């Protein structure tokens, strides 16, 4: 048995305190995130830093990665690499003994080969009863199974 998957995501990672810490070191940031890619199984399709305080990433990943583990891996590897190569720059934005860079939260959205409208249309035109052909008196809609 096997499976076929195409899992693509749009991620947005924001710097801690929304500081413009990425401004002026963009190429180092891209290299640090590429290093995370090389050490992992995901593929970066595109990335772009905006306003020096966040980065957009388009990523394709196998199903064995959860989004949170993928994001944590990118953040951990890039933070370590950037503090190794750009410590002087980052000290202008963050101080203390802990090396900070990324905000704890992130934004993620799925993308794919087709639009949501195409998927909904495809599902709607499959054989079998639709959700709307159920008995309207049934308060607990059941999952339709083919026999």
């Amino acid at each position: 048995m096997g499976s076929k998957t195409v899992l693509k995501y749009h991620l947005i990672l924001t710097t801690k305190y929304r500081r413009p810490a990425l401004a002026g070191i963009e190429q180092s940031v891209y290299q640090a995130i590429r290093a995370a890619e090389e050490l992992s199984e995901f593929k970066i399709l595109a990335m772009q830093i905006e306003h020096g305080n966040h980065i957009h990433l388009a990523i394709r990943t196998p199903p064995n990665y959860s989004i949170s583990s993928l994001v944590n891996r990118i953040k951990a590897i890039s933070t370590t690499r950037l503090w190794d190569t750009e410590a002087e720059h980052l000290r202008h934005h963050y101080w203390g003994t802990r090396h900070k860079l990324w905000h704890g939260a992130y934004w993620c959205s799925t993308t794919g080969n087709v639009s949501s409208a195409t998927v909904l249309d495809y599902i709607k035109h499959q054989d079998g009863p639709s959700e709307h052909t159920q008995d309207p008196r049934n308060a607990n809609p059941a999952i339709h199974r083919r026999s």
Side-chain angles (χ1 to χ4, degrees), residues 114-134 143-144 146:
V114 295
S115 69
S116 294
T118 302
V119 172
L120 294 174
D121 188 58
Y122 175 80
I123 292 170
K124 195 174 5 176
H125 290 93
Q126 296 302 299
D127 291 337
S130 72
E131 176 182 29
H132 301 293
T133 59
Q134 294 178 22
I143 298 175
H144 296 282
R146 287 192 171 165

